[in-house]
Amino acid sequence: MGRLSRSAWVQRWLPPPSYALNHIVNRIPLIGPRMRAYELLGVRFDDVRSTTIMLGAEVEQPRDLQIGARSIVGGGCLLDARGGITIGSDVNITGLGPDHDCQARRR
């Protein structure tokens, strides 16, 4: 067997973008570097400076995700963009907490 080319080595040994987003990037505590990392790994933004993806949000298939200006994706959200997702401007998507019970009755 011959030596691997640089791109073959990268594809073989580095994790896919969704792994990096969901295990490394979504834990970066500073918003500026976190948003730049999302952009570098494929998420498309109308205006990355006015958009926020909170800590703990998960993204599948980042290249098929488009987020409009001044939008917020809350922590704990899962954006599964394998079929493509376009989020418009001025949108707030809130994640449910782990103790939220959708079946709870009102008191």
Side-chain angles (χ1 to χ4, degrees), residues 4-69:
L4 289 175
S5 69
R6 180 175 288 167
S7 63
W9 186 89
V10 167
Q11 289 177 349
R12 183 173 181 180
W13 295 105
L14 288 182
S18 60
Y19 181 88
L21 287 176
N22 298 326
H23 292 87
I24 300 167
V25 173
N26 74 350
R27 290 179 170 87
I28 297 173
L30 300 172
I31 187 69
R34 184 170 66 245
M35 296 308 295
R36 295 294 186 262
Y38 276 111
E39 189 173 40
L40 288 172
L41 290 170
V43 177
R44 293 173 290 135
F45 298 97
D46 289 349
D47 180 12
V48 70
R49 293 173 299 154
S50 69
T51 303
T52 301
I53 299 177
M54 301 291 230
L55 289 168
E58 296 186 17
V59 176
E60 295 294 331
Q61 197 71 32
R63 297 205 184 284
D64 292 330
L65 176 60
Q66 169 76 38
I67 302 178

